């Protein structure tokens, strides 16, 4: 459920009532399992259920920007033989594609690095260290699912409708 009343909000905010690896979002009135950050691009929390899709958004967005960047040079006429208005638009387009692609690949590798350290961006912001008992592969499986590793780069759901918090398992 969703915490609606002030009493429910206070109950959910207390540390002893919080499930492990969860953050409580007062805006949405619910717990976010393995909360990484609030993303401005999707205007939502990035947590355990959608962290894989956030990583893939950055990876495939970078690939798309590379294709757009390459298509600018794939036309038959030379770039400097075009009319000046088209040349200006193309230079602006190329610079925007390059900057956006660079931003996306930086986000992707930064997220992978934090994932390898088993640390969320919230923990990084607070100066906390990740759980060192996790190996990199364990952390990847926690975000991308326990299915075949070949499907990690495909935009398939990582989990079913029921999530299991690993610290709760015996």
């Amino acid at each position: 459920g969703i915490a609606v009343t002030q009493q429910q909000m206070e109950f959910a905010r207390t540390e002893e009532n919080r499930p492990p690896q969860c953050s409580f979002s007062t805006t949405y009135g619910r717990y976010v399992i393995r909360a990484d950050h609030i993303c401005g691009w999707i205007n939502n929390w990035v947590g355990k259920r959608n962290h894989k899709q956030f990583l893939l958004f950055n990876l495939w967005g970078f690939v798309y920007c590379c294709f757009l960047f390459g298509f600018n040079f794939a036309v038959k006429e030379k770039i400097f033989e075009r009319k000046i208005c088209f040349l200006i638009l193309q230079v602006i387009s190329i610079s925007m594609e390059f900057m956006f692609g660079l931003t996306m690949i930086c986000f992707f590798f930064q997220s992978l690095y934090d994932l390898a350290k088993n640390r969320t961006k919230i923990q990084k912001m607070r100066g906390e260290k990740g759980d060192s008992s996790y190996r990199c592969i364990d952390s990847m499986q926690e975000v991308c699912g326990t299915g075949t590793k070949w499907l990690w780069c495909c935009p398939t759901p990582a989990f079913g409708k029921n999530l299991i918090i690993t610290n709760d398992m015996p």
Side-chain angles (χ1 to χ4, degrees):
I2 298 174
V4 180
T5 66
Q6 188 65 29
Q7 184 181 8
Q8 291 171 336
M9 293 278 196
E10 292 300 321
F11 178 82
R13 282 189 197 130
T14 57
E15 194 67 37
E16 60 269 3
N17 297 328
R18 183 174 300 166
Q21 295 182 332
C22 287
S23 293
F24 181 74
S25 171
T26 55
T27 307
Y28 295 105
R30 61 179 58 205
Y31 288 113
V32 180
I33 301 171
R34 200 182 192 285
D36 191 64
H37 66 283
I38 299 174
C39 181
W41 289 357
I42 61 174
N43 194 28
N44 201 358
W45 278 90
V46 173
K48 186 168 183 168
R49 188 171 296 282
N50 63 353
H51 199 164
K52 175 186 175 184
Q53 281 71 24
F54 177 76
L55 288 169
L56 293 177
F57 170 72
N58 287 310
L59 174 66
W60 292 113
F62 169 72
V63 171
Y64 180 70
C65 286
C66 288
F67 278 119
L68 287 178
F69 186 80
F71 287 146
N72 280 301
F73 302 105
V75 294
K76 290 186 178 182
E77 63 184 71
K78 294 183 180 172
I79 192 167
F80 293 110
E81 293 177 0
R82 298 179 186 161
K83 293 182 182 178
I84 190 71
C85 60
F86 290 123
L87 182 62
I88 291 172
L89 285 174
Q90 191 145 25
V91 167
I92 291 171
S93 170
I94 288 171
S95 58
M96 287 176 66
E97 290 159 9
F98 178 76
M99 293 304 293
F100 191 63
L102 185 65
T103 302
M104 292 190 93
I105 199 67
C106 286
F107 280 148
F108 176 72
F109 282 120
Q110 180 185 23
S111 294
L112 278 184
Y113 177 76
D114 288 339
L115 199 57
K117 296 238 178 222
N118 195 33
R119 177 178 58 185
T120 64
K121 287 185 179 43
I122 292 175
Q123 288 173 326
K124 188 176 182 180
M125 179 186 68
R126 291 178 183 157
E128 299 172 4
K129 295 185 185 259
D131 185 2
S132 59
S133 66
Y134 270 46
R135 297 176 304 155
C136 178
I137 193 75
D138 297 332
S139 187
M140 286 294 292
Q141 284 178 340
E142 187 174 14
V143 168
C144 296
T146 56
T148 178
K149 292 165 189 60
W150 295 108
L151 289 179
W152 284 359
C153 62
C154 297
T156 57
F159 307 99
K161 293 192 183 257
N162 298 323
L163 291 178
I164 296 173
I165 301 173
T166 54
N167 287 357
D168 283 350
M169 294 176 60

